[in-house]
Amino acid sequence: MDLEDFYLKSLLPNYNILTEAGSSFGYKHSEVTRLKMETNYSEERRLIIANLNTAKTFNSETIEAMKKSALNR
C-alpha cells in the first residue's frame, strides 16, 4: 500500500479517480454511473445470483475448511 501510495502521489495519473491507496473515502459516483449500476443489477440478475449457491451441498471436509476460514477473518 505504501508503494502504491508513493506512485499515486508522485506520478499523479489522470485516469486514477482515487488519490490514496486503499481508500475510496470521499468519492461519489456521478448520477449517470449510479443509473448504469442500477440498470446492470436488475431484479432478474439479483435472483440469478442469489440462486447460484442455494441448492449446493458440501461435504464435511469443505464445511470444516469454510468454518476455519471464517474464524480466521
Side-chain angles (χ1 to χ4, degrees), residues 6 9-10 12 14 18 20 26-27 41 43 53-54 58:
F6 167 76
K9 288 182 187 334
S10 61
L12 297 172
N14 60 359
L18 306 175
E20 191 174 319
Y27 177 74
Y41 293 104
E43 190 61 35
N53 291 321
T54 301
F58 300 102

Side-chain angles (χ1 to χ4, degrees), residues 3-70:
L3 186 60
E4 182 180 350
D5 205 33
F6 167 76
Y7 282 112
L8 282 173
K9 288 182 187 334
S10 61
L11 298 175
L12 297 172
N14 60 359
Y15 58 84
N16 198 332
I17 299 167
L18 306 175
T19 57
E20 191 174 319
S23 173
S24 59
F25 180 72
Y27 177 74
K28 295 190 185 238
H29 291 287
S30 69
E31 190 61 34
V32 173
T33 305
R34 281 189 230 153
L35 288 172
K36 284 181 183 178
M37 288 189 286
E38 266 182 40
T39 326
N40 193 26
Y41 293 104
S42 64
E43 190 61 35
E44 179 185 3
R45 181 180 170 113
R46 288 181 192 157
L47 288 173
I48 290 170
I49 292 171
N51 290 326
L52 282 175
N53 291 321
T54 301
K56 282 189 178 177
T57 57
F58 300 102
N59 63 29
S60 59
E61 290 176 6
T62 305
I63 292 171
E64 285 302 314
M66 289 189 292
K67 282 181 186 177
K68 285 180 185 176
S69 177

